[in-house]
Amino acid sequence: MKMETNIVLEGKYISLEPLEWKHKDVLFEALKSPEVWNYTWRNVRTIDDLERIVTDAVNKKKEKEQIPFVVKDKQTGKVIGTTRIGDIDFGNRNVEIGWTWLSPSVWKTKVNTECKLLLLQYCFEELQVIRVQFSVSGQNLRSQHALERIGAVKEGTFRKHRVKESGSIHDNIFYSIIDSEWESVKERVIALLEKRYGERR
């Protein structure tokens, strides 16, 4: 695995560009709706909350522990969310795709599907990983369904694994895709992208 932390991944609808500190204000505008955080174990109510997330991502990029991106809408040029490749395990050729938060304005469009295609393609075809992991709150049924729809395999549940600032306790559900499954998953994701999602996409 040879990792580059400042790559750009280009799709038809979106581009994934390196997350930098300068993106904090536009990211807050994209992600300030409480809907984004309702079913996660995070709370973002103020710009300071979002700044902590961006600081963590930028620091981990410097340490080559993660590859964080902003998600940019190619039609409008606007930043509409963020995502990362993290938990990078060079020895075992494993990574996690996650930390994905998107503006509600692009939910139920092709944005998240193309985001996953670009990230998975980079992980399996460039980084040559053998396993990509996803983890999601047990309360976040929307994200679980999205992963199952692209063909990720549910592996198990870490019960009572996360405690939110509000005190709510979340199970953590783990999914994965392995290298031998990638070609069939890729075909499935491409087929999903060819379908019509709402008016915009």
Side-chain angles (χ1 to χ4, degrees), residues 58-108:
V58 170
N59 288 340
K60 287 180 176 175
K61 179 170 75 167
K62 288 178 182 175
E63 298 298 320
K64 296 198 174 222
E65 294 177 8
Q66 295 186 345
I67 310 174
F69 301 92
V70 290
V71 183
K72 188 174 282 189
D73 186 319
K74 294 183 78 169
Q75 185 178 37
T76 65
K78 290 184 178 180
V79 169
I80 51 176
T82 184
T83 190
R84 300 184 215 176
I85 299 169
D87 287 349
I88 298 166
D89 183 342
F90 289 98
N92 293 306
R93 294 164 59 194
N94 277 221
V95 299
E96 179 167 333
I97 288 174
W99 303 267
T100 304
W101 303 297
L102 298 170
S103 166
S105 66
V106 297
W107 291 0
K108 297 182 180 179

Side-chain angles (χ1 to χ4, degrees), residues 153-165:
V153 175
K154 185 176 180 179
E155 294 183 326
T157 302
F158 283 18
R159 298 178 298 165
K160 295 189 175 182
H161 193 232
R162 291 282 189 269
V163 180
K164 199 167 181 173
E165 288 179 6

